Amino acid sequence: MDPGFTAEQDGIRRTLRELLHKRCGPEELRAALDTPLGHDPALWAALAEQLGLPGLALPEAYGGVGCPVTDLALAAEETGRALAPSPLLATSVLAAPLVLGLGTDAQRADLLPRISDGTLTAALAVPAPALATALALTGPQDGDWAGGGRAGGIQARRVQGVWRLYGEAAQVLDGHGAGALVVAAHTGGFVRSRTLLFVVPGDAVGLVRTRQTALDATRPQARVQLRDVRAELLGSEEEEAGIPEALSRTGDFAAAFLACEAVGAADRALERTVEYLGRREQFGRVIGSFQAVQHRLADVYVQIQAARSAAYYAAWAAGGLAGPDGRVGGLALAQALEALRRAAAEGIQLHGGIGFTWEHEAHLFFKRAAGDELLFGPVHRLRAHAAEGARLFERTEVSV
């Protein structure tokens, strides 16, 4: 693995940072959160037109840039620094890879070019709180996590050759404004119980979507209700055996993406804290000159750098550039979320009274760490699942 960045990767990161610095400052961020969509459509259009960010990791045949997924994961560090609210995670990280990996030629030709140019956003609808399970981040994909019987969730039934969906999914990232939904639904009854993926247009009859109040407002979420909604099967039933693997690959990529995002957010939180401590005076001295404060900041810095190394390795592994396959995404995500939580907590405390106010943005970094852990964690389960996959704690009998 070459740990250095290519010229293209450096260019993407630099251009993205400049654009977000101009278009996604603290005031613009708060204004975007108060809109019905929860993000700035003009900024999303700029990211698509100037950088091709939604289609960065999609093939050129579908209007994408054709870069490896590594480049998109590394770009996430810059979106994390700005806490930029956008449909990028829901569309390009969770939904688009599933369409690319499982969809028919017609489905790919219909959906992916519109995702690439930013005119179509998409979302993955999985019954809460099963998103981490569906992506194989915190445990095996067993059980009826998509619903079925008395388990609630979403069920699918074929009536006269047409698939109909009914049920509910909460905590769907950007589900309230997505132009298309990739819905995981349970079907087959007790004998042939299985989970299939379906494509549902955002304007489908019987589809009811309501934006929810989320802990992290920079990650808009929705409650999606399907009331006898007509749906199109993603791919074919003959390929249903590949759905768990496709979801697992998507989970590995999402974990690397989220880890890079968390590292960027943690780095920015630390920067803002250091800037403040260099200006604020107490007892006739700049606060940052106190040794106890310096030690605390040094500990945070070391933790962020360790998380950055793990996140970069996970990004290279997701792109197949880091040698043998392994579940490194979950470990990197766990380390990055801990680093972000630590950086945000120290920032709030070291800012003093102003750090606890609603007007200051310090709390947004802490909520990003807590919100991501609720959706994709918790941290101890991310680590436990990785340890189980590596058979770290299996007892081995040694014969003499």
Side-chain angles (χ1 to χ4, degrees):
M1 183 188 87
D2 182 3
F5 296 129
T6 65
E8 290 79 7
Q9 290 168 343
D10 279 330
I12 292 170
R13 288 157 57 90
R14 181 176 59 254
T15 306
L16 183 55
R17 178 176 294 195
E18 293 173 354
L19 177 60
L20 292 176
H21 179 73
K22 295 177 182 177
R23 303 286 296 270
C24 194
E27 294 182 0
E28 292 83 359
L29 171 61
R30 290 180 180 275
L33 298 182
D34 291 335
T35 62
L37 288 176
H39 69 269
D40 182 6
L43 175 61
W44 177 245
L47 292 173
E49 294 170 3
Q50 298 183 28
L51 288 173
L53 197 61
L56 191 65
L58 292 177
E60 295 181 18
Y62 299 111
V65 180
C67 293
V69 296
T70 301
D71 292 10
L72 182 57
L74 294 174
E77 187 173 353
E78 302 305 323
T79 63
R81 283 180 60 87
L83 294 180
S86 76
L88 183 64
L89 172 61
T91 299
S92 301
V93 179
L94 297 178
L98 294 173
V99 175
L100 180 63
L102 298 173
T104 64
D105 291 339
Q107 289 170 336
R108 294 172 184 168
D110 174 42
L111 298 174
L112 294 181
R114 292 187 289 150
I115 289 177
S116 297
D117 63 18
T119 57
L120 176 68
T121 59
L124 174 62
V126 173
L131 181 59
T133 302
L135 299 177
L137 290 176
T138 58
Q141 298 163 318
D142 50 12
D144 293 331
W145 53 265
R150 296 182 179 179
I154 303 174
Q155 291 83 43
R157 181 180 300 171
R158 187 155 48 186
V159 180
Q160 297 179 350
V162 177
W163 285 102
R164 317 289 300 193
L165 304 183
Y166 57 98
E168 179 179 285
Q171 298 178 324
V172 178
L173 289 171
D174 289 290
H176 55 293
L181 297 173
V182 177
V183 182
H186 174 273
T187 189
F190 181 78
V191 178
R192 280 206 63 201
S193 174
R194 65 198 192 278
T195 298
L196 299 176
L197 296 179
F198 299 86
V199 177
V200 176
D203 58 355
V205 177
L207 180 64
V208 179
R209 301 181 289 176
T210 307
R211 183 177 174 183
Q212 295 177 294
T213 300
L215 172 64
D216 178 14
T218 65
R219 292 248 196 259
Q221 300 175 22
R223 181 182 302 277
V224 176
Q225 295 176 316
L226 300 113
R227 303 173 179 176
D228 196 25
V229 174
R230 180 169 182 163
E232 179 183 0
L233 182 67
L234 181 63
S236 62
E237 289 189 68
E238 289 73 20
E239 299 173 351
E240 68 177 76
I243 291 178
E245 182 182 355
L247 286 168
S248 181
R249 287 197 306 268
T250 300
D252 288 338
F253 174 41
F257 179 94
L258 290 164
C260 289
E261 235 188 15
V263 165
D267 192 51
R268 181 55 182 156
L270 178 61
E271 280 183 8
R272 288 187 59 84
T273 304
V274 172
E275 291 171 0
Y276 176 78
L277 296 180
R279 301 189 308 267
R280 175 69 173 174
E281 292 186 2
Q282 189 71 32
F283 306 112
R285 292 175 56 183
V286 174
I287 295 177
S289 65
F290 291 101
Q291 191 176 50
V293 173
Q294 293 175 357
H295 286 173
R296 291 171 66 172
L297 295 176
D299 289 342
V300 174
Y301 176 79
V302 170
Q303 190 170 1
I304 292 174
Q305 294 306 313
R308 176 177 277 116
S309 297
Y312 285 177
Y313 183 80
W316 263 275
L321 305 176
D325 292 335
R327 186 167 292 281
V328 298
L331 287 174
L333 178 57
Q335 192 164 354
L337 290 178
E338 282 191 336
L340 175 54
R341 182 184 284 268
R342 173 81 179 277
E346 291 285 8
I348 291 173
Q349 188 169 26
L350 291 174
H351 271 82
I354 193 175
F356 290 86
T357 62
W358 183 261
E359 291 75 13
H360 200 275
E361 63 177 327
H363 67 95
L364 296 177
F365 292 95
F366 191 85
K367 289 178 178 177
R368 169 60 66 89
D372 279 1
E373 189 171 354
L374 287 173
L375 284 171
F376 300 99
V379 164
H380 70 274
R381 292 192 61 187
L382 288 168
R383 289 197 170 115
H385 183 50
E388 290 173 3
R391 299 181 178 179
L392 191 60
F393 301 114
E394 280 191 5
R395 179 180 297 179
T396 57
E397 301 292 338
V398 179
S399 58
V400 179

